[in-house]
Amino acid sequence: MISALNMQFGIKGQLEFVEDAPVKGTPPDTRPAGGLGAASGLVVAEINNAQGCASLCLQGAHLMNWQPKSQAVPVVWLSRDARLAAGKSIRGGAPVCWPWFGAHATESGFPGHGFARTVPWRVIESGTEPDGATRLTLRLETSDKTRVQWPHDCNLDLTVIAGNTLRMELATENTGATDFVIGEALHTYFQIGDIGQVRVTGLDGCAYWDKVGGSNLRRQEGGISFSGETDRVYINTGAACVIHDDELNRRIHIAKSGSLSTVVWTPWDEKAAKMGDLGQPDGWREMLCVESANAIDNLVKVVAGTRHTMIVEYRVESI
Ligand code: BG6
């Protein structure tokens, strides 16, 4: 399988498919023994071009790393406790949440954030952009199991373009005769210096559902800084956001289209301890999720025969 993939979609000196690859840009001493290097049978696309590197697991179309050459540490965070395992989501990176975000509206037995992040995807295209960035498109594989949870005719494609910037395009095509409604998110974990010192701007004045201690509708005033568990779904906003990180001397710019929700999440100590896979004891301090989404008030109706695309683009500015 690997050699066939490399023959059809590999790009010499730029894109290679490997089994259970350790993530480039992650120092060897932070990799768990028996973790990413253990044999799970999963395949990872390793991108390494003149502008930077990225890794994408074919299961879940799960981006695990992105690090432009300008940066000494990755921009996308992957937990030290991340494991590659068939049917399990990887902690960190950029999970694809689809076709619903959070809990399913009516079926408590269906997986949180949908099934797209835990099922196989297949490669359908690869190439080099005019500026030298590497492009890779994956398509979700449907199965009897996915059809039980989502009985609609559709294609879900993720295109990743990795270079100095990272662009991800999540396209839902309704190939059937009836309309359907989706929720979705590119649930990106960003690597930060320390959660206590970063600030997020871009959401001033936005309404948000505050999921900590119930579900209350509030309004953001000014920038966001963090001193406890934060789990918010900002609604009706297509605005770009910036993560200001003085410790890592950088600003991460997050621009998007086709997305009207932005989720900001940090678990803080108690929830992180309960989750247990965030890199004990304090890996959670080095990550922050700013997720481009369509959730709650912003679910998307995909009319029969049409396509809806959510696009995010990340750029890093050194300061
Ligand atoms: C966030 C949610 O998007 O994802 C949080 O807002 C949730 O409530 C978090 O805890 C992680 O979810 P999971 O399913 O990957 O553990």
Side-chain angles (χ1 to χ4, degrees):
M1 181 199 177
I2 293 278
S3 55
L5 268 176
N6 276 312
M7 205 135 44
Q8 197 177 354
F9 299 108
I11 305 173
K12 205 170 160 40
Q14 223 185 107
L15 169 63
E16 189 188 3
F17 296 90
V18 293
E19 212 162 323
D20 266 356
V23 177
K24 282 205 172 64
T26 304
D29 58 354
T30 63
R31 270 182 231 137
L36 288 167
S40 64
L42 299 184
V43 173
V44 176
E46 292 264 30
I47 294 171
N48 201 349
N49 57 37
Q51 300 178 18
C53 60
S55 306
L56 189 79
C57 185
L58 299 200
Q59 174 173 281
H62 196 132
L63 183 94
M64 300 196 298
N65 181 41
W66 170 56
Q67 183 173 1
K69 285 258 154 79
S70 64
Q71 297 302 306
V73 289
V75 178
V76 167
W77 179 87
L78 185 72
S79 171
R80 288 193 292 274
D81 295 332
R83 295 285 183 277
L84 293 190
K88 296 260 185 303
S89 184
I90 303 163
R91 181 60 67 196
V96 175
C97 304
W98 186 97
W100 57 87
F101 178 82
H104 189 275
T106 53
E107 300 290 336
S108 59
F110 288 3
H113 289 332
F115 53 79
R117 61 178 175 166
T118 54
V119 302
W121 294 51
R122 72 190 152 88
V123 183
I124 58 170
E125 200 267 340
S126 69
T128 306
E129 295 289 289
D131 71 353
T134 307
R135 185 183 67 248
L136 180 62
T137 301
L138 306 185
R139 175 166 291 177
L140 182 137
E141 298 262 38
T142 53
S143 65
D144 290 347
K145 207 169 152 199
T146 64
R147 278 186 286 273
V148 167
Q149 297 181 15
W150 186 250
H152 304 284
D153 293 327
C154 67
N155 289 324
L156 180 67
D157 292 351
L158 180 74
T159 297
V160 171
I161 301 174
N164 284 327
T165 62
L166 178 77
R167 183 180 166 99
M168 289 193 281
E169 305 177 354
L170 186 67
T172 304
E173 185 185 6
N174 185 339
T175 55
T178 47
D179 305 346
F180 57 69
V181 172
I182 57 162
E184 59 184 345
L186 288 166
H187 187 313
T188 309
Y189 291 71
F190 291 98
Q191 173 93 47
I192 54 170
D194 183 78
I195 190 68
Q197 60 83 35
V198 292
R199 215 161 42 89
V200 175
T201 56
L203 295 164
D204 186 18
C206 286
Y208 66 90
W209 289 103
D210 188 351
K211 289 164 62 183
V212 176
S215 198
N216 300 300
L217 193 59
R218 302 185 199 281
R219 188 164 298 278
Q220 181 65 39
E221 281 175 33
I224 310 165
S225 47
F226 303 91
S227 56
E229 183 186 354
T230 305
D231 193 353
R232 301 176 179 176
V233 181
Y234 290 84
I235 54 171
N236 305 326
T237 174
C241 290
V242 180
I243 301 174
H244 302 257
D245 189 341
D246 291 341
E247 206 167 299
L248 293 183
N249 301 310
R250 66 190 186 188
R251 294 189 193 112
I252 300 172
H253 295 260
I254 302 163
K256 62 178 188 168
S257 67
S259 155
L260 284 178
S261 313
T262 297
V263 182
V264 177
W265 177 61
T266 171
W268 222 255
D269 52 357
E270 269 180 41
K271 186 162 181 193
K274 274 191 209 132
M275 290 174 71
D277 61 356
L278 286 160
Q280 297 303 332
D282 53 8
W284 60 274
R285 295 201 70 97
E286 298 162 5
M287 57 137 274
L288 173 65
C289 287
V290 178
E291 309 164 33
S292 300
N294 287 302
I296 311 181
D297 304 64
N298 302 128
L299 302 182
V300 176
K301 179 177 179 179
V302 187
V303 172
T306 69
R307 175 198 296 255
H308 154 77
T309 307
M310 177 168 75
I311 301 175
V312 299
E313 189 148 0
Y314 306 141
R315 174 172 69 82
V316 188
E317 176 194 3
S318 297
I319 51 174

